Amino acid sequence: MTTTRTTRKTTVRPDSPLIPFVVQREGEEAASDNLRLTPLGGGRYRLRYADEDPRDRDLRGVLWARCTFSEVDDQEHPTGRPQWRMMHPLRQRGCMQTLRCQVCAGPARTPLGWIFLAGPGTVDPNDEPVLTNQPPVCPKHARTAAELCPHLTAEPTVFLSRSAPLYGVNGVGYGVRDGSVQVVERPGGPIPYGHPLMPTVLASQMVRRIGTFRLLSLAELFTELERAA
C-alpha cells in the first residue's frame, strides 16, 4: 500500500449539492512522491516511485502523480469543499480511461456516441488531432456540467463523438539536476503515448482524441438523443 491510499470513512450527506466526481476537494493534496530514476542504458531512464504500487501506472505504463483521497459519502462520492478549477488526477484518469461521466462517474455512452463539452478557446474543432482532457458527460448531466464547470459556459460547444481513442497525457518530464531528481521539461501540450519523453513523465491528466464527431448545441444534442431513443 502506498502513501497515496488513505482509509475511506463513509460520511452520509443526504442534502449535499451535486459536485462533479472529478473535481478535486479541499484536503486532497499531492502526496509524498519518492521519485527515482532507473538507468535503462544508452542515456535513457525510467521514472518510478521508491515504493511503487501497480496502481501508480495507467494501462499504458505511464507513471502518475500521487494525490490523497478525501472521505466519501453514502453514494461513494468524495466529500470536502470543491476546488473547482482542479481535477483530481486519479479520478480524472479513471473517468477518461473507462469513458465514464465526469459528473456522476456512471456510464457516459449514448446511442449516438460520447458527449464531450468544451468552453471558449479550449478545444478547436479544426485542430488535427482534436484533443481533450475533459472526461465525457452522460445525457443526464450534460446541462449540469455546463452550469458548474468554470471552463465552460451555459452554452458550451458539444462534440458528439463516435470514437475517442486514448492519445496521451498532460504531465512533466523528470531528470537529474544538481544531483537530485526534479522536473526538467514542461511540455506545452499533451504528450502522446509512445513519445520518447514518456518513460520519465509524471502524468496528471489523461487525454483523448475526439474522432468522427458532430458539433452541436445543447438543445440540438437533446433533440438528437430524443430521436435516437
Side-chain angles (χ1 to χ4, degrees):
M1 190 67 69
T2 71
T3 54
T4 63
R5 277 77 191 178
T6 55
T7 302
R8 293 192 176 197
K9 176 183 175 183
T10 297
T11 302
V12 178
R13 299 196 312 158
D15 300 320
S16 61
L18 181 62
I19 298 169
F21 178 74
V22 297
V23 169
Q24 191 160 318
R25 303 303 186 95
E26 190 173 69
E28 293 182 327
E29 300 174 348
S32 174
D33 50 33
N34 302 311
L35 290 170
R36 303 288 187 271
L37 283 168
T38 299
L40 299 177
R44 297 178 301 115
Y45 293 86
R46 185 173 191 257
L47 189 67
R48 64 178 178 84
Y49 289 116
D51 57 347
E52 190 168 314
D53 182 285
R55 293 168 292 181
D56 286 318
R57 294 187 183 272
D58 64 24
L59 294 177
R60 302 289 181 90
V62 177
L63 194 67
W64 275 72
R66 290 175 167 179
C67 188
T68 59
F69 291 92
S70 67
E71 296 177 355
V72 296
D73 61 18
D74 55 323
Q75 301 298 314
E76 292 297 312
H77 276 216
T79 61
R81 187 187 303 274
Q83 307 298 294
W84 286 107
R85 293 190 175 276
M86 301 174 66
M87 287 190 287
H88 190 285
L90 300 185
R91 289 200 293 271
Q92 189 268 358
R93 167 181 137 190
C95 286
M96 281 296 255
Q97 199 161 260
T98 57
L99 285 169
R100 299 181 78 83
C101 176
Q102 65 169 279
V103 177
C104 67
R109 187 167 190 171
T110 77
L112 300 177
W114 287 277
I115 304 164
F116 292 92
L117 305 181
T122 58
V123 180
D124 187 343
N126 297 310
D127 281 347
E128 182 55 46
V130 179
L131 305 176
T132 183
N133 67 334
Q134 292 289 328
V137 295
C138 67
K140 178 181 178 181
H141 293 116
R143 176 68 69 184
T144 303
E147 293 172 348
L148 293 178
C149 181
H151 300 289
L152 299 176
T153 64
E155 291 298 332
T157 300
V158 178
F159 290 80
L160 184 56
S161 178
R162 284 288 187 182
S163 65
L166 286 174
Y167 176 83
V169 300
N170 287 327
V172 293
Y174 275 75
V176 177
R177 179 180 289 168
D178 299 327
S180 64
V181 177
Q182 56 184 284
V183 176
V184 296
E185 293 193 53
R186 297 184 182 275
I191 310 161
Y193 285 115
H195 191 281
L197 181 64
M198 202 61 88
T200 56
V201 162
L202 188 66
S204 57
Q205 295 178 345
M206 186 170 280
V207 177
R208 282 188 177 268
R209 177 173 64 84
I210 303 176
T212 319
F213 61 84
R214 297 164 58 197
L215 292 177
L216 303 170
S217 67
L218 279 177
E220 291 169 335
L221 170 68
F222 295 135
T223 298
E224 292 288 326
L225 291 174
E226 286 177 4
R227 289 174 180 168

